[in-house]
Amino acid sequence: MRPNDVYLELQKRLASHLRAVLLAKYDLPLENIPLEIPPDLKFGELSTPVALQLARTLRKAPKIIAQEIVASLAGLDGFAGFEVAGAGYINARIDRAEAAQSVAAGEASEPAGKGLHSLVEHTSINPNKAAHVGHLRNAILGDTFVRLLQAAGQKVDVQNYIDNTGVQVADVVVGFLHLENKSLADAHQLLEELRLRGERIDYYCWDLYARTSQWYASGAPEENEARKKLRYATLHELELGNNETSAVAELISTAVLRRHLETMLRLGIEYDFLPRESEILHLKFWDAAFEQLKQTGVLYFETEGKNKGCWVMTRPGAEITEGETNEDAKVIVRSNGTVTYVGKDIAYHLWKFGLLGKDFGYKPFFTYPDHLCWISTEHGVEPHPHFGGAQAIYNVIDARQSDPQANVIQALRGMGYTAQADRYTHFSYEMVALTPRCAVDLGYDVSAEDLARPYIEVSGRKGFGVKADDLIDKLIAATRAETDARQTGRDEAERQRISEQIAIGALRYFMLKFTRNSVIAFDFKDALSFEGETGPYIQYAVVRARNIFRKAATTPEAVLAEFAALTLPQGGGGFGPSHSTQTPVSGHDFSRAEQPPKEEGALAPGGTSSPARIDRYLEGDGNEDIWALWLRAARRTMVLEQCITTSEPAYLAKHAFQLAQEFNNFYHRHHILTEEDPARKTFLLATAAVALRELITALTWLGIESPEAM
RNA sequence: GCGCCCGUAGCUCAGCUGGAUAGAGCGACUGACUACGAAUCAGUAGGUCGGGAGUUCGAAUCUCUCCGGGCGCACCA
């Protein structure tokens, strides 16, 4: 039997059939057949307003068209019938028993894009301070998207770009060398002392960075001028490398980076490669890119206007008038010969697509339980894995950087790399801000102006924000208190593990439940909630399902095997090619809801002369909620594809929640273990087994573990 | 000034390529534990989808305009 995802498969089948019917009947080639999931099961499982849409071109009443189309649909494999409803909708009812067989068998279709080599860049925190809630959103979005691409069968490289030679690192170095008057030897000593005391270097830098930022503006005008000069002199030394200042920067930034990886690992987030800006500079990536940019004419030398003496490029969407100087052009090479950020980013992205003709050196940096994370270096070790050269890339970068991102894409397109430009996704998301109340609770001074705002932007420079590790610690403490109260029979280690799983589940779900372009106004009350639309709610549904199987002394696998026997008296079924036993349906003569849901006689066990179809359990007023659960379980691949094509993990988060909600509802309405009809009991257990399987799969894709108990 | 995002129930948010009575969670109020453990479930109240105009058989969804909020538009990264 060929694998397929029930809903997706039936949708495709109906669409192509409708396309053929429209062509044959009306000579209308219609590429996109609108298909939707109706708002209520009474309208069937799939529906199309295509007749409404065609009314004008065909000059016929929509209802007439719908009836004509329905007449040609009878007997379509996998469907139980079609009917015209409302103003001219065509509603399709699928063969429930047959669909349930497929779902139970765990059939899933291959999503589009299988085998593609993708590269996801996320996290990319400046290594000069502790990670905060904003970085958590980035990393959780990125990591989840990586899991989605992998679930779709893609080969994914996970990268975390490290700007170790930028102003932000320069600022902590200035603070260390000039505010604290310390040396390279002191830096070594500090790291050792912090290690012994069990303190975090990234927390230390959080405060130092904020102090230094203030220091730049807190003196007399001429003092501030000197401090600013010091800042840029330091930055210059970092870029050059091979000096004491850069050695301090390297030492501190690497220690902070290590902390970031540890923080993210608490959330189950891992990386394959850490490309650093220092290597992009020292290995002269830019020189190679510059040649290509000049040759393709993307960059031109400006001889007039405010950008005179610079190499510039035209911005995307800019209207250029012949013979006039484009004052709005983006400067890529400054008049002093140095390269801007966008320039370096173009070089880096040429490398990502394997178009630069240069590569990093590689050395191992961080060890995960099952693989190594590599970091860039000038002279690497052999052998090493190769990164870059991807077919599709995703950059998880906040929405404020959409302009520079668009510039990079524009440059690639201008160089003739249009296929790559099309597969370059700026995976943008809005920031995480704090509600004024949250800021006050944390002890920050909040101005009257800020108090009136809906939210206040987090700022590392100001030291304003919620640190990632603090939030995680707080979440674990809260779940631990709850777990200790509930799981009195379990030992310390077990309770801690469960608490961590729940805490991380709550945090990851919280960051994923919002769509990317909505600003998250962070508040501890919401983030620390474990009820309602939360990760723990979904995890709890899993635990409940598991408890049923434990009490019944069976397993989901055993139940599903039993279920297959129950529903497959002839051993066939499913969505195999030639399995059409449908009776033609004229389109207006059936109404499933009116059939009695249950016969008086007991169900004959599978394998007897009268095929023991399970329709009776899937239809009728009392069973619509069960069928809805099966139907949702059938949507896994559909949701996965939707998430990938729209770069929106929130759809999967919503799907998992709705699945859990329907399961909890089912759990209350139908008591499984006390069910007396053995066949129905098997059916109910199979329902739980399917829900359990789909819940665990969805949670895994979201990077959320399923605890054994809670 | 130009560009992008947002404005949906008291609060926080969904609403897929325009489609059938606008949904969820939280909060409020009513109920359900002799347990497949209530981190749960059922029910009630609550909405001029920011305002206006247009396109359409049909608009929360598309276009225009106005109002309100946010973020970008460096020879910073």
Side-chain angles (χ1 to χ4, degrees), chain A residues 340-359:
Chain A
T340 61
Y341 159 73
V342 170
K344 283 179 275 191
D345 223 24
I346 293 170
Y348 174 40
H349 283 88
L350 285 170
W351 172 84
K352 281 187 179 177
F353 280 116
L355 301 170
L356 187 68
K358 275 177 177 281
D359 198 2

Side-chain angles (χ1 to χ4, degrees), chain A residues 6-7 10 41 44-45 93-101 103 617-620 622-634 662 666 683 687:
Chain A
V6 180
Y7 229 125
L10 287 172
L41 271 179
E45 287 83 17
R93 289 168 198 279
I94 70 179
D95 184 321
R96 297 186 175 187
E98 199 176 320
Q101 289 166 4
V103 172
Y617 300 137
L618 291 166
E619 292 168 17
N623 296 322
E624 289 296 287
D625 58 327
I626 302 185
W627 171 236
L629 179 53
W630 280 84
L631 209 51
R632 178 142 347 248
E662 277 169 354
F666 159 79
F683 166 73
T687 305

Side-chain angles (χ1 to χ4, degrees), chain A residues 137-209:
Chain A
R137 186 177 196 185
N138 181 307
I140 290 170
L141 276 171
D143 180 66
T144 303
F145 198 66
V146 166
R147 290 165 194 264
L148 296 180
L149 292 177
Q150 285 169 339
Q154 300 195 20
K155 174 183 185 289
V156 189
D157 291 345
V158 188
Q159 293 192 183
N160 177 356
Y161 175 78
I162 310 299
D163 183 5
N164 60 339
T165 56
V167 274
Q168 294 213 19
V169 168
D171 287 344
V172 280
V173 170
V174 166
F176 194 80
L177 295 178
H178 304 284
L179 281 185
E180 305 201 322
N181 290 312
K182 288 181 175 165
S183 64
L184 179 59
D186 294 330
H188 278 287
Q189 201 189 331
L190 172 74
L191 288 176
E192 183 58 15
E193 282 170 11
L194 289 173
R195 194 183 65 79
L196 290 174
R197 290 204 299 266
E199 289 177 18
R200 294 156 164 167
I201 179 68
D202 54 335
Y203 277 43
Y204 179 92
C205 288
W206 176 277
D207 296 327
L208 182 56
Y209 177 45

Side-chain angles (χ1 to χ4, degrees), chain A residues 141-142 145 394-397 425-429 516 647-649:
Chain A
L141 276 171
F145 198 66
Y394 298 88
N395 292 341
V396 184
I397 304 176
T425 303
H426 173 203
F427 191 109
S428 82
Y429 63 94
R516 288 182 291 111
S647 300
E648 184 53 270

